[in-house]
Amino acid sequence: MNHQSDQYYINKVLEGRVNAFSVLVERYQGLVYTIVYRMVKNKEQAEEVAQDSFVKAYKSLKNYRGDAKFSTWLYTIAYRKSLDAIKASKRMITSELIEEVSEGEMELVGDALNYLQVKERKKIISDSIMKLPEDEAAIITLYYFEEKSVKEIVEIVNLTADNVKIKLYRSRKKLYSVLKHHISPEISSKNGRAI
């Protein structure tokens, strides 16, 4: 039913058919909420920031030039709204102490994740991402879950490509550090070692 392109609905909204915007909201509300929630780390605040992001997108739609995908433009708004909310709340979000991991351990993460059940894995990964600093949680989410390219992430978070790559690398290491407490018993039992 809603198989038209984003631009089709944008044009309808700009022509005065404001209800067409609801299709765009439907398409992207889950993804926007996920990014916002992983940054602000509070469900109620995430709902509010996600809603504010759509309101800003609607009000700014006439300024959307189409240089980037609509989703990239929308994620940029959500990312910046999240940063504003974090600053406004003036609360210190403390990340758990995340230990450094060696390069050898990094290679184990791919195999080890296969040992976790699918639902459990999603929950554990989501909870682990929540332990990362806000900007890193957003970048990991955009890259792995929204499948955005480094170039698109650069546009969203307003960092250089090198900075995004460095943050991705560091975030993966931190994420593995958090995840290895869940997967180490699985690795040990598969290798025949005592847990």
Side-chain angles (χ1 to χ4, degrees):
M1 180 175 151
N2 295 335
H3 300 291
Q4 297 291 337
S5 69
D6 291 343
Q7 192 61 52
Y8 171 84
Y9 293 105
I10 291 167
N11 292 340
K12 292 294 180 194
V13 173
L14 294 175
E15 291 167 5
R17 294 181 57 198
V18 296
N19 289 341
F21 193 73
S22 66
V23 174
L24 297 171
V25 171
E26 236 178 80
R27 256 182 208 173
Y28 295 106
Q29 66 187 357
L31 307 176
V32 166
Y33 175 80
T34 300
I35 291 167
V36 172
Y37 178 65
R38 289 187 175 158
M39 290 182 70
V40 300
K41 303 178 192 289
N42 175 288
K43 287 182 181 182
E44 291 79 21
Q45 189 177 22
E47 289 169 2
E48 187 178 317
V49 172
Q51 184 176 7
D52 289 348
S53 299
F54 281 108
V55 169
K56 177 157 176 71
Y58 175 77
K59 289 180 178 177
S60 303
L61 202 54
K62 63 186 174 293
N63 299 326
Y64 172 67
R65 296 184 312 271
D67 298 339
K69 290 184 201 173
F70 175 75
S71 60
T72 301
W73 181 76
L74 181 60
Y75 294 149
T76 303
I77 292 171
Y79 179 81
R80 290 183 180 149
K81 283 281 186 187
S82 298
L83 290 177
D84 291 345
I86 292 165
K87 289 176 188 170
S89 67
K90 292 184 181 168
R91 60 188 170 94
M92 296 299 291
I93 298 174
T94 56
S95 299
E96 276 188 17
L97 177 62
I98 299 175
E99 60 190 79
E100 287 294 315
V101 292
S102 69
E103 290 298 317
E105 289 176 312
M106 284 291 293
E107 294 173 12
L108 295 175
V109 74
D111 293 336
L113 286 175
N114 292 327
Y115 298 122
L116 299 173
Q117 295 297 322
V118 173
K119 280 186 175 182
E120 182 181 79
R121 177 175 35 188
K122 286 181 181 177
K123 171 98 172 89
I124 289 170
I125 291 171
S126 181
D127 290 349
S128 298
I129 289 172
M130 293 296 292
K131 293 176 182 175
L132 295 175
E134 303 85 12
D135 59 334
E136 293 177 8
I139 289 171
I140 285 280
T141 300
L142 289 166
Y143 189 77
Y144 288 104
F145 296 94
E146 309 308 327
E147 298 178 1
K148 293 292 181 187
S149 67
V150 170
K151 183 180 175 187
E152 290 171 309
I153 295 171
V154 164
E155 292 175 37
I156 293 169
V157 300
N158 198 25
L159 294 171
T160 66
D162 286 340
N163 283 344
V164 168
K165 289 175 187 175
I166 289 168
K167 283 187 177 284
L168 271 170
Y169 176 76
R170 289 179 181 162
S171 299
R172 282 193 298 259
K173 284 181 74 171
K174 289 177 184 177
L175 188 58
Y176 176 70
S177 176
V178 174
L179 286 171
K180 80 177 186 178
H181 299 292
H182 295 283
I183 57 180
S184 291
E186 296 293 336
I187 293 170
S188 296
S189 66
K190 289 290 180 184
N191 292 335
R193 293 188 301 226
I195 298 176

